Amino acid sequence: MSKKNLIITQYVNNNPNEVQDVVIEEVPLTIFLNGEQFITLLSTPFHQKELAIGFIFSEGLIAGTDDIKEIEVQNEQNLVYITLTNKSQLTKKLYGKRTITSGCGKGSIFYNILDSLHTTKIINKDTFEVENIAALMSEMQNSSTLFKETGGVHSASLADNNKIYYTYEDIGRHNAVDKVLGRALLDGVKIEDKMLITSGRLSSEIVLKVLKAKMPILVSRSAPSSLAVELARKNGLTLCGFVRGRKINCYSHPERLTKGG
Amino acid sequence: MSKKNLIITQYVNNNPNEVQDVVIEEVPLTIFLNGEQFITLLSTPFHQKELAIGFIFSEGLIAGTDDIKEIEVQNEQNLVYITLTNKSQLTKKLYGKRTITSGCGKGSIFYNILDSLHTTKIINKDTFEVENIAALMSEMQNSSTLFKETGGVHSASLADNNKIYYTYEDIGRHNAVDKVLGRALLDGVKIEDKMLITSGRLSSEIVLKVLKAKMPILVSRSAPSSLAVELARKNGLTLCGFVRGRKINCYSHPERLTKGG
């Protein structure tokens, strides 16, 4: 499973005690694309198919599951083999993306600041009720059992104005988002009109992932960065942060938010 | 500066208000190695020299500042140009490291699980007082002004048993650690006998960075992963998590911790 029991030394008021503790499990999941070793994601060892598909989708390497010819997951070895239908296309995309890579700790080795320019502006006109956003955030938080046990995971959910479709947890906030997107793609659930909810901070790369998925609204209980806000404002994404209790900060395109009632 | 003021729409009990807000600034810092574009780190736009040097050091690309022939920082353009003394050595190291890369959101594009094998076991015999660790953690937390203002940064400090040498903040928890290491290298401060303090979660890559720096102890106020604990136990690193108030969890090599008093 996704956690490990350990005997640790716990100090309370400087006095040591051997106690049983539980930590979140982290494994290196290696993805092979068209037979070539592509990337290793450090992640919790479950829902590896969702993670692999969501990652190559939110990185812009596939437009959907139609671009996938075959996928084989070897859970015990933490390996995923993906064969794409159009190989030349991948090479072209990787070539473009490798010009700038990111090691910032925000989830992508293919980060390209120019991605924001290639991203199509979000034109979705759906509205979302402010009250529901707060309620959906609490629902996600309360369902996060791993966090309560280990304190070491982030959650992400796909939701519409009324209900949550999926919630996934992972040691990496980007992985949790990718798992949600991957599952939606596998189920053929439309995502262009949905809301992405995350417990993690809103960095530029999370915004780019959501823009790649053409989603109209991204909400988090944490803080955004200046670049995240810039990208959201420029590309028509509604960005909400610090969604806690009765308070919500909307950093871009509040026109999608309605009071409801 | 490291933060930006914005007008945002804040909802309290579903009622919108235009308010002034401040967010942490995120910029892409691009590092050139020997004239070639090497990597872009998404980070807060200050202490870019420390970040660049700390990053290539904690990634194992240089052993110290002696390996650096020349460094030029263009703060306005967010560019750092580094020329190394031994070019062939770098090519060899990159070749080995590129075999596995990480996009997990934990800070390194050169993550190689085998790094743990190449890492020399920490043999440092210094001890650290449990009471001081808690005190140093609070000192770091209290000095973090950016976090109080933006909620969007992580802190890292270099300390010995009694005092903090440096504290740096960044939007990326790995960047904060790299800035600390970079500054210490620039000042010629010995790090092999010091403690690294971080506010961020203890993933395997943070542990690998600290092992590369040959430091004996790594402490955090957050949770570790199973792989982080595994690497720490195997390589002789004292790993403490959840350092909060009077409680400390020690996950590996508690023999370095003394009650003091």
Side-chain angles (χ1 to χ4, degrees):
Chain A
M1 253 320 288
S2 54
K3 48 199 169 142
K4 268 193 178 170
N5 294 306
L6 302 167
I7 301 297
I8 68 164
T9 309
Q10 183 171 79
Y11 294 80
V12 180
N13 296 320
N14 310 326
N15 299 315
N17 276 302
E18 304 276 293
V19 299
Q20 174 88 26
D21 191 43
V22 56
V23 296
I24 186 74
E25 195 170 355
E26 178 189 18
V27 299
L29 173 69
T30 300
I31 302 173
F32 288 77
L33 275 187
N34 300 332
E36 290 211 4
Q37 189 169 315
F38 171 60
I39 191 171
T40 294
L41 304 176
L42 294 167
S43 56
T44 42
F46 58 129
H47 307 300
Q48 297 184 321
K49 188 178 189 179
E50 286 83 352
L51 175 56
I53 290 176
F55 180 80
I56 62 173
F57 170 74
S58 68
E59 291 296 318
L61 300 174
I62 60 169
T65 46
D66 291 351
D67 292 338
I68 297 176
K69 187 176 168 191
E70 199 182 358
I71 177 160
E72 184 201 345
V73 181
Q74 298 182 3
N75 281 109
E76 286 64 31
Q77 293 75 32
N78 300 309
L79 300 173
V80 178
Y81 296 89
I82 300 175
T83 310
L84 301 182
T85 47
N86 184 342
K87 301 187 180 190
S88 56
Q89 173 198 37
L90 173 72
T91 326
K92 216 172 94 274
K93 284 186 173 168
L94 280 184
Y95 181 78
K97 285 175 159 289
R98 280 198 188 280
T99 54
I100 297 186
T101 59
S102 164
C104 65
K106 296 190 190 53
S108 167
I109 65 162
F110 303 119
Y111 184 88
N112 188 331
I113 194 63
L114 298 173
D115 273 0
S116 56
L117 305 174
H118 309 142
T119 315
T120 45
K121 208 168 176 5
I122 306 298
I123 42 122
N124 179 294
K125 292 269 179 297
D126 295 339
T127 60
F128 298 83
E129 290 178 29
V130 175
E131 194 155 15
N132 296 4
I133 291 172
L136 292 165
M137 175 63 73
S138 337
E139 189 184 331
M140 181 184 81
Q141 294 289 120
N142 296 333
S143 71
S144 177
T145 54
L146 263 181
F147 182 80
K148 286 173 196 133
E149 289 180 272
T150 67
V153 291
H154 280 294
S155 312
S157 298
L158 184 79
D160 61 19
N161 191 28
N162 300 303
K163 70 169 193 300
I164 287 178
Y165 287 70
Y166 312 105
T167 296
Y168 286 97
E169 298 179 288
D170 198 279
I171 189 162
R173 62 196 165 96
H174 298 73
N175 296 341
V177 169
D178 287 336
K179 284 176 176 179
V180 165
L181 297 175
R183 185 71 257 164
L185 289 174
L186 286 165
D187 294 347
V189 169
K190 188 181 180 191
I191 54 179
E192 301 92 294
D193 59 354
K194 303 288 187 309
M195 178 192 328
L196 191 79
I197 308 172
T198 170
S199 63
R201 281 175 305 128
L202 298 166
S203 59
S204 59
E205 286 180 303
I206 290 281
V207 168
L208 286 175
K209 278 178 183 284
V210 171
L211 287 173
K212 278 269 190 317
K214 300 187 175 55
M215 299 175 78
I217 175 167
L218 168 61
V219 309
S220 167
R221 71 180 311 281
S222 304
S225 73
S226 63
L227 195 49
V229 173
E230 227 171 281
L231 292 171
R233 289 184 173 184
K234 187 158 134 275
N235 295 290
L237 174 69
T238 300
L239 188 72
C240 298
F242 290 106
V243 177
R244 300 175 184 186
R246 307 297 294 165
K247 194 171 142 259
I248 291 180
N249 285 352
C250 184
Y251 297 90
S252 62
H253 299 282
E255 65 271 12
R256 284 200 187 87
L257 302 183
T258 59
K259 193 169 175 180
Chain B
M1 254 311 292
S2 54
K3 51 200 169 141
K4 269 192 177 169
N5 293 306
L6 302 167
I7 301 296
I8 68 164
T9 309
Q10 183 171 78
Y11 295 79
V12 180
N13 295 320
N14 309 326
N15 300 315
N17 276 303
E18 302 278 292
V19 299
Q20 173 88 27
D21 191 45
V22 56
V23 296
I24 186 71
E25 194 170 356
E26 178 189 18
V27 300
L29 173 68
T30 300
I31 302 173
F32 288 77
L33 274 186
N34 300 332
E36 290 210 4
Q37 190 168 317
F38 171 60
I39 190 171
T40 294
L41 305 174
L42 294 168
S43 56
T44 42
F46 59 128
H47 308 300
Q48 298 183 320
K49 188 178 189 180
E50 286 83 352
L51 175 56
I53 291 176
F55 179 81
I56 61 174
F57 170 75
S58 69
E59 290 297 318
L61 300 174
I62 61 169
T65 46
D66 292 351
D67 292 338
I68 297 175
K69 187 177 170 192
E70 198 182 0
I71 177 160
E72 184 200 344
V73 181
Q74 297 181 3
N75 281 109
E76 286 64 31
Q77 293 75 30
N78 300 308
L79 299 172
V80 178
Y81 296 89
I82 300 175
T83 311
L84 300 183
T85 48
N86 184 343
K87 301 188 179 189
S88 56
Q89 172 199 36
L90 172 71
T91 325
K92 219 173 92 272
K93 285 186 172 167
L94 281 183
Y95 181 79
K97 285 176 159 290
R98 280 199 189 280
T99 54
I100 297 187
T101 58
S102 163
C104 64
K106 296 192 190 53
S108 167
I109 64 161
F110 302 121
Y111 184 87
N112 187 332
I113 195 64
L114 298 173
D115 273 359
S116 56
L117 305 174
H118 309 142
T119 316
T120 44
K121 210 168 180 352
I122 307 296
I123 42 120
N124 179 295
K125 291 270 181 297
D126 295 339
T127 60
F128 299 82
E129 291 178 28
V130 174
E131 194 154 15
N132 297 4
I133 291 172
L136 292 165
M137 176 62 73
S138 334
E139 189 185 331
M140 181 184 80
Q141 296 288 121
N142 296 333
S143 71
S144 176
T145 54
L146 263 182
F147 182 79
K148 287 174 195 131
E149 289 181 272
T150 68
V153 292
H154 279 294
S155 312
S157 298
L158 184 79
D160 61 19
N161 191 28
N162 301 303
K163 69 170 194 298
I164 288 178
Y165 287 68
Y166 313 105
T167 297
Y168 286 96
E169 298 180 287
D170 197 280
I171 189 162
R173 63 196 164 94
H174 297 74
N175 296 341
V177 169
D178 287 336
K179 284 176 176 178
V180 165
L181 296 175
R183 185 70 256 165
L185 288 174
L186 285 164
D187 294 348
V189 169
K190 187 181 180 192
I191 53 179
E192 300 92 296
D193 59 354
K194 302 288 186 308
M195 178 192 329
L196 190 81
I197 308 172
T198 170
S199 63
R201 282 175 305 127
L202 298 166
S203 59
S204 59
E205 286 181 302
I206 290 281
V207 167
L208 287 175
K209 279 178 182 285
V210 171
L211 287 172
K212 277 267 189 313
K214 301 188 174 56
M215 299 176 79
I217 175 167
L218 168 62
V219 308
S220 168
R221 70 179 312 280
S222 304
S225 73
S226 62
L227 196 50
V229 173
E230 227 171 281
L231 292 170
R233 288 183 173 185
K234 187 158 134 277
N235 295 290
L237 174 69
T238 300
L239 188 73
C240 298
F242 290 106
V243 177
R244 300 174 184 186
R246 308 296 295 164
K247 196 171 140 256
I248 290 180
N249 285 352
C250 183
Y251 298 89
S252 62
H253 300 283
E255 65 271 12
R256 285 199 187 88
L257 302 183
T258 59
K259 192 170 176 180

